Amino acid sequence: MSPMAQAAVEHYVGLSKQLNSSEVNADVVTARQRAQTVLLAQGFPTQRDEAWQYTRLVNFVQKRFEIATQRPDSTVDLNALQNFLPPLSPSFEVIKLVFVDGCFHADLSDDLLSLPKGLTIQFTTAQLPDEKRVDSEAFAVLNQALLSDGFTLEVSQNSAIETPVWVLNIQTKSNQLNNLTNQVQVASNAELTLIQQFVTLEGVEACTNVVTHVDIADSARVRQAVLQQQADASFYFHNQFVSQADNSDFNTFYAGMGSVLSRHQNHLLMNGEHIENSQNSACLARQKQVVDSRTDTEHNQEWGASRQLHKYVLADSAVGVFNGMIKVDRLAQKTDGQMDNKNLLLSSAAKMNSKPQLEIYADDVKCSHGSATGQINQDQIFYLQARGIPRNQAIEMITKAFLMEPVETINRSEVKKWVGGLLSHALLTGGYFSGGEA
Amino acid sequence: MLLNIKNLQAEIDEKQILKGLNLEINPGEVHAIMGPNGAGKSTLASVLAGKDNYEVTAGSVAFDGQDLLDLDPEERARKGLFLAFQYPVEIPGVSNKLFMQTAVNAVREEQGLPPLDMFDFDAYAKDKIELLEMRPDLLERSVNVGFSGGEKKRNDIFQMALLQPKLCILDETDSGLDIDALRLVANGINTLRSEERSFIVVTHYQRLLDYIKPDHVHVLYDGKVIKSGGFELVHELEENGYDEIVKQHQQA
Ligand SMILES: Nc1ncnc2c1ncn2[C@@H]1O[C@H](COP(=O)(O)OP(=O)(O)OP(=O)(O)O)[C@@H](O)[C@H]1O
Ligand SMILES: [Mg+2]
């Protein structure tokens, strides 16, 4: 590790110790201490680490992000936030939870006393995450070292929660590390729709580091959308550790529309039979942004079906990274796994690094993966122009259509429409087409 | 005159394809262009529509009194030039309907007319759908994606009917059409015929021409028009092929 990275590790271990000095929960103290040890031993990944080859942490390790000391922070301008919120808000009914600078904000959120039957939400670290799964990811280890905020959401057996839960995370201050640890537990035959949105005020240079654990019991159904819209100079790391039991269904969608460096990872264990899931994403990057999205899908039992479609649009000299692994255990016969990654480069300086992989130990399976990267087909542009549509508009139409395909996998129509609208707004107003050549 | 092509020369990848082509078209006329494979028929169509990988090295094209070669492809389309492609392009994710609504509104903007909203457009498109007996679901699908060869061709003629151009260039629209579709497309073309509207119909076969009865027939060979005549030239070609005409041309 470079001296710079070493110093960053020590800085965050210091913050962890500082948190522990005033911690009353002994379990939390132990968990943080354990993570400190792991972090000190493993450090932050370097370019030599294959999983971080294209997602370089040089800029991150130069920073010394702090954690908010006032909790909740009384200097936050609530009026400014009230004005900031409406354009982001879904137009459909939601259960709204708002975090500001990493702290839950009751004043901005819905009344937690009137939640639908079967749904409980808490903000204490009720249950500690599974250590072994966490250790393989540096940012999950960091998350545990700084364990303090986040939500724990439980849905009881047979409860279908109709109204989506919308968790809005707003970062208002620069130089802060917004460290969130979330737990989602959906019991047998229950149903949940969860939306997690990450935004910052304009110009904010902060770092969001999230771990979301999702436990899906047998026959339960979970739909999730994660929207990342942070300002250009912010960082985003999100590790999702998901496990599914028999006959459950998980559908997750990630929209990456911001940050200088962002990395969204699904670690998905299919620990039962007849499990279905669908993991999809639409990512946009321009200038020197690096947008990284990964999935690690383990088929461990028979008759599992996993579907994936990940699409990137890269402008200027942006870098896209996709890494997907489908692992099929020898017990997982009749597995049906499909993973596709398609990328559109709007400039010749943009780069995509794609690595879809299969590792199969069972013999009766149907698995496929594919990856394709290219620029817009000139014949398509000309066809639209030949019907009177200006070249710029033709490029926008084709690009938007390309990006919207994974959005179709969102199964609730109102969520689909809203997410599609946010993505298309980001694409058409975010300066992706100003670079000239296509 | 609606279109006046003088000594047009064009190349692609430094290979000259059009070698001094002349053609004059008056409003209301239907011209057929025939010629062997590789003669440059599609190249002519592409150059007229403004495809940018062709380089015009000499000559001029006046369209409705303006220098056509000076205009962007979209400006040509807005001013009333339409090309039905030999190979219509698939555009995944862009709905045929949104595409055509956008195109119709682009042309209307040029004409100083207000845009049609979704409902106005549906009403406007209805007759044309019936005229060409289009399957209504083709409008909801992505442009040409998963369309059969014949459906793609018919979709282009549908677009032509919607855009009401002044000059319609049809590049082998008849190839790949079944007998019924050919009749529908011919009928579509005949319905669009008017005193102001002109057609250039590129084809290898007599069948479509029997339906639409062109006023003039030209033989394009090696990048030039080597013979022009009336409808009788079609029969001559159908019987004797291109050999005789090419020989005469080479001797001259
Ligand atoms: N990119 C290119 N580089 C070199 N030659 C090309 C290129 N594109 C087309 N050509 C050549 O230009 C010539 C004219 O092609 P064009 O498509 O205009 O012929 P056509 O008359 O339409 O033929 P067909 O009846 O087969 O449709 C052909 O010899 C073709 O091979
Ligand atoms: Mg041709």
Side-chain angles (χ1 to χ4, degrees):
Chain A
M1 209 180 352
S2 69
M4 187 70 84
Q6 184 62 43
V9 165
E10 278 158 22
H11 168 73
Y12 293 112
V13 167
L15 293 183
S16 173
K17 287 182 174 158
Q18 198 181 311
L19 283 175
N20 264 355
S21 67
S22 57
E23 182 61 60
V24 288
N25 184 333
D27 291 342
V28 171
V29 170
T30 314
R32 286 189 194 134
Q33 276 171 345
R34 202 197 66 86
Q36 289 166 17
T37 316
V38 178
L39 191 59
L40 281 168
Q42 297 182 350
F44 286 113
T46 67
Q47 216 180 304
R48 278 193 298 274
D49 194 324
E50 211 193 321
W52 293 85
Q53 198 178 349
Y54 304 106
T55 311
R56 297 178 191 163
L57 292 172
V58 185
N59 288 332
F60 171 80
V61 296
Q62 280 173 358
K63 306 265 194 253
R64 300 286 174 267
F65 292 107
E66 296 295 336
I67 42 180
T69 40
Q70 271 199 34
R71 20 197 63 251
D73 189 339
S74 56
T75 64
V76 171
D77 181 355
L78 286 186
N79 282 333
L81 287 186
Q82 294 287 16
N83 292 331
F84 179 72
L85 285 176
L88 290 168
S89 306
S91 51
F92 46 91
E93 197 196 340
V94 290
I95 298 163
K96 177 165 85 168
L97 306 180
V98 180
F99 283 75
V100 180
D101 299 332
C103 259
F104 176 66
H105 231 284
D107 295 350
L108 296 169
S109 304
D110 284 345
D111 184 3
L112 294 179
L113 296 174
S114 55
L115 292 178
K117 201 168 154 283
L119 175 67
T120 51
I121 300 174
Q122 290 175 293
F123 301 97
T124 52
T125 324
Q127 227 173 337
L128 294 172
D130 174 1
E131 295 169 359
K132 283 184 295 301
R133 288 187 81 186
V134 161
D135 284 357
S136 58
E137 291 296 335
F139 283 87
V141 175
L142 175 65
N143 184 278
Q144 201 167 39
L146 301 175
L147 189 68
S148 59
D149 289 292
F151 61 84
T152 298
L153 192 158
E154 286 172 86
V155 185
S156 67
Q157 198 167 340
N158 299 327
S159 301
I161 309 301
E162 261 303 302
T163 314
V165 176
W166 176 50
V167 187
L168 177 64
N169 300 272
I170 312 168
Q171 182 66 34
T172 71
K173 297 200 169 59
S174 288
N175 304 318
Q176 285 190 352
L177 182 69
N178 178 7
N179 194 77
L180 298 163
T181 316
N182 306 317
Q183 303 263 355
V184 177
Q185 276 168 348
V186 183
S188 177
N189 196 37
E191 185 172 320
L192 173 73
T193 300
L194 174 66
I195 301 165
Q196 287 159 279
Q197 192 169 9
F198 298 90
V199 301
T200 64
L201 295 186
E202 219 173 295
V204 164
E205 298 180 27
C207 178
T208 296
N209 182 29
V210 194
V211 168
T212 301
H213 293 266
V214 185
D215 266 310
I216 308 171
D218 60 286
S219 304
R221 300 161 302 279
V222 176
R223 274 112 217 218
Q224 182 195 36
V226 181
L227 310 168
Q228 189 268 112
Q229 299 165 283
Q230 301 196 121
D232 279 4
S234 283
F235 293 81
Y236 170 85
F237 303 96
H238 194 165
N239 279 283
Q240 300 214 91
F241 296 96
V242 185
S243 64
Q244 283 188 260
D246 292 338
N247 300 305
S248 63
D249 186 4
F250 177 52
N251 180 315
T252 185
F253 181 86
Y254 171 63
M257 301 176 262
S259 300
V260 64
L261 191 156
S262 58
R263 176 151 157 144
H264 187 81
Q265 292 178 258
N266 292 338
H267 309 265
L268 176 53
L269 297 180
M270 299 166 71
N271 293 334
E273 294 182 359
H274 294 279
I275 287 173
E276 286 184 26
N277 58 58
S278 176
Q279 304 172 78
N280 307 286
S281 64
C283 292
L284 280 173
R286 53 168 161 61
Q287 293 164 9
K288 291 193 163 149
Q289 289 178 309
V290 177
V291 56
D292 182 344
S293 170
R294 292 173 183 248
T295 61
D296 212 324
T297 308
E298 296 187 22
H299 284 257
N300 293 328
Q301 301 278 328
E302 290 191 345
W303 294 105
S306 63
R307 289 281 172 279
Q308 298 185 48
L309 175 62
H310 305 276
K311 283 196 157 184
Y312 291 62
V313 170
L314 305 174
D316 309 323
S317 47
V319 175
V321 186
F322 172 73
N323 199 303
M325 166 67 92
I326 299 178
K327 238 185 235 165
V328 182
D329 189 90
R330 67 188 170 77
L331 293 177
Q333 300 294 0
K334 308 291 178 192
T335 283
D336 176 358
Q338 201 177 304
M339 171 166 58
D340 271 303
N341 167 231
K342 294 182 192 160
N343 316 299
L344 192 59
L345 306 180
L346 296 177
S347 106
S348 48
K351 271 204 186 64
M352 182 69 205
N353 303 286
S354 176
K355 196 172 175 190
Q357 291 168 278
L358 299 175
E359 214 176 282
I360 300 173
Y361 300 100
D363 46 29
D364 185 13
V365 302
K366 206 169 73 189
C367 280
S368 71
H369 65 34
S371 170
T373 300
Q375 304 206 346
I376 298 184
N377 182 327
Q378 295 296 324
D379 290 340
Q380 293 180 339
I381 299 175
F382 182 64
Y383 192 70
L384 297 191
Q385 281 183 289
R387 299 297 177 253
I389 299 170
R391 186 179 168 83
N392 289 344
Q393 199 184 346
I395 292 170
E396 287 179 9
M397 280 175 85
I398 295 165
T399 308
K400 183 179 157 190
F402 172 85
L403 190 67
M404 287 302 143
E405 191 190 353
V407 177
E408 288 303 311
T409 62
I410 297 177
N411 30 21
R412 288 191 59 153
S413 63
E414 74 277 34
V415 180
K416 181 194 300 186
K417 206 171 148 212
W418 177 62
V419 171
L422 290 176
L423 265 167
S424 116
H425 181 80
L427 178 71
L428 300 180
T429 63
Y432 293 90
F433 300 104
S434 50
E437 106 222 67
Chain B
M1 204 179 300
L2 181 64
L3 187 75
N4 190 357
I5 304 177
K6 280 193 193 145
N7 184 34
L8 185 62
Q9 300 187 29
E11 56 183 47
I12 184 161
D13 295 341
E14 291 173 13
K15 182 182 167 200
Q16 189 172 12
I17 311 290
L18 299 184
K19 302 177 178 172
L21 189 144
N22 297 293
L23 190 64
E24 295 181 1
I25 295 178
N26 290 307
E29 289 177 353
V30 177
H31 291 241
I33 294 183
M34 303 183 83
N37 295 130
K41 303 181 297 297
S42 294
T43 302
L44 172 64
S46 297
V47 169
L48 293 178
K51 192 151 193 201
D52 64 4
N53 36 355
Y54 296 91
E55 197 192 336
V56 175
T57 50
S60 66
V61 181
F63 175 61
D64 220 5
Q66 296 180 61
D67 180 0
L68 183 74
L69 301 176
D70 211 29
L71 303 175
D72 288 335
E74 59 265 34
E75 291 173 317
R76 300 180 194 198
R78 285 165 179 237
K79 293 195 188 305
L81 185 139
F82 183 92
L83 168 62
F85 287 74
Q86 182 171 2
Y87 304 106
V89 181
E90 299 186 3
I91 308 177
V94 174
S95 96
N96 214 10
K97 194 168 173 175
L98 175 70
F99 167 43
M100 281 325 294
Q101 191 189 339
T102 311
V104 166
N105 284 335
V107 172
R108 287 178 67 88
E109 185 185 29
E110 177 79 23
Q111 295 166 344
L113 297 168
L116 298 182
D117 67 18
M118 216 163 64
F119 304 105
D120 296 339
F121 177 78
D122 283 348
Y124 175 62
K126 195 166 166 281
D127 303 351
K128 325 289 191 230
I129 292 172
E130 283 165 12
L131 174 67
L132 291 158
E133 294 180 22
M134 291 266 293
R135 283 203 350 242
D137 68 301
L138 292 185
L139 220 63
E140 309 299 330
R141 293 192 2 211
S142 292
V143 179
N144 294 325
V145 176
F147 287 29
S148 74
E151 283 168 347
K152 286 181 184 169
K153 297 292 179 86
R154 221 190 298 183
N155 195 32
D156 257 25
I157 299 304
F158 169 63
Q159 294 168 15
M160 184 171 95
L162 285 170
L163 294 173
Q164 303 271 316
K166 285 187 194 140
L167 175 64
C168 308
I169 305 167
L170 308 168
D171 191 0
E172 292 197 33
T173 299
D174 52 345
S175 57
L177 293 181
D178 66 34
I179 297 160
D180 292 335
L182 183 74
R183 190 178 37 77
L184 284 168
V185 163
N187 185 33
I189 295 169
N190 284 334
T191 312
L192 280 172
R193 282 177 82 157
S194 76
E195 297 202 343
E196 296 83 46
R197 186 168 294 128
S198 309
F199 292 81
I200 297 175
V201 180
V202 174
T203 182
H204 288 294
Y205 307 106
Q206 189 181 335
R207 272 189 327 193
L208 177 67
L209 301 179
D210 281 339
Y211 279 113
I212 58 178
K213 301 273 180 317
D215 306 302
H216 302 273
V217 178
H218 310 277
V219 176
L220 206 160
Y221 174 76
D222 193 23
K224 285 195 282 278
V225 174
I226 59 164
K227 183 160 185 169
S228 298
F231 193 41
E232 73 288 345
L233 187 53
V234 179
H235 298 282
E236 196 186 318
L237 287 170
E238 195 81 7
E239 269 172 35
N240 306 326
Y242 293 108
D243 278 4
E244 197 59 30
I245 291 171
V246 168
K247 233 177 265 161
Q248 282 170 17
H249 165 70
Q250 280 164 343
Q251 280 159 4

